[in-house]
Amino acid sequence: MDAIAIIGAIVAATVAGWLSPGPNMVAVMSASLTNGRPHGIAVGIGITVGNLFWLILALSGATLLFELFPTAVTMLKLVGASYLIWLGAKSLKSAASSKGDLKLSVVADTGLRASAKTGAIVALTNPKAALFFGSVFATFVPADASLVFLVVIAVICSLQSAVQHAVTAAVFSTKPAVRFFSEFQRWINGIFGLLFVGMGASVAVSTMRTQ
């Protein structure tokens, strides 16, 4: 495969991963609906930074450490599961509240830095990102790829991640979406809470079963 074909295949695989709903997308959706587009984009930037860490590990071949230190990976997965459950509990608490304001759910309106931190934590406690990048790169990137080419891939994937999450934030912060949220706020917060708790519980259970 030539360079363009390799990059095209990686971009396509990354788009497919983005379109498969998971903790990253749910976090951006929730922040966008509850606190607006800037917070959704900030969460997306945090996720992009976290994913860049896993991407660099994958490109450097450091994901082999996962096979050498499975206990560390297990602990990281459990930490990530606990964080998702905590986010879900916050949303469920908001759903049970009688307040009518929109500043509820995952990200409190304490500044964009806090939103970005939330996104980074969600990404950094999700080692599946490293496994995803590792499998994609192992499939498409030749072993003799130059450092420049690897850097180009890292830059493209990071820009793509930021754009994709910005699109998610834009869609879920439109007037119709916000209007819908304002009408069904408690139900939507409850759904986000159940999604986060469900994803966290699923990760925890699957991790414990593999032990």
Side-chain angles (χ1 to χ4, degrees):
M1 297 178 68
D2 58 25
I4 295 179
I6 292 172
I7 293 175
I10 293 174
V11 168
T14 304
V15 169
W18 168 55
L19 294 176
S20 302
N24 292 350
M25 179 173 282
V26 173
V28 175
M29 290 167 54
S30 182
S32 301
L33 280 170
T34 56
N35 290 320
R37 184 176 304 173
H39 282 272
I41 293 175
V43 170
I45 291 174
I47 291 172
T48 298
V49 173
N51 282 343
L52 179 60
F53 171 78
W54 294 122
L55 188 152
I56 292 174
L57 285 183
L59 285 176
S60 65
T63 50
L64 293 176
L65 293 175
F66 286 1
E67 299 179 6
L68 299 177
F69 302 100
T71 301
V73 178
T74 297
M75 293 301 297
L76 183 58
K77 286 182 177 180
L78 291 177
V79 169
S82 299
Y83 188 67
L84 291 175
I85 292 173
W86 178 73
L87 290 178
K90 289 185 66 178
S91 281
L92 290 174
K93 181 179 178 181
S94 294
S97 172
S98 60
K99 296 180 179 179
D101 60 84
L102 295 180
K103 297 172 182 177
L104 300 175
S105 191
V106 175
V107 185
D109 191 18
T110 55
L112 297 179
R113 183 176 299 179
S115 297
K117 181 179 178 181
T118 295
I121 293 175
V122 169
L124 289 172
T125 55
N126 180 20
K128 285 187 177 180
L131 298 177
F132 169 78
F133 287 123
S135 61
V136 169
F137 295 153
T139 301
F140 298 112
V141 180
D144 59 349
S146 67
L147 177 60
V148 172
F149 186 58
L150 296 181
V151 171
V152 169
I153 291 176
V155 171
I156 290 176
C157 287
S158 296
L159 291 175
Q160 182 183 356
S161 174
V163 170
Q164 288 171 172
H165 292 309
V167 169
T168 301
V171 170
F172 286 91
S173 61
T174 58
K175 289 183 178 179
V178 173
R179 188 181 306 115
F180 181 81
F181 175 75
S182 65
E183 294 179 4
F184 302 97
Q185 178 181 352
R186 296 181 66 180
W187 286 98
I188 295 174
N189 271 334
I191 291 173
F192 278 127
L194 292 175
L195 283 173
F196 276 116
V197 171
M199 288 184 291
S202 176
V203 171
V205 170
S206 63
T207 300
M208 296 305 296
R209 283 180 176 176
T210 58
Q211 298 307 302

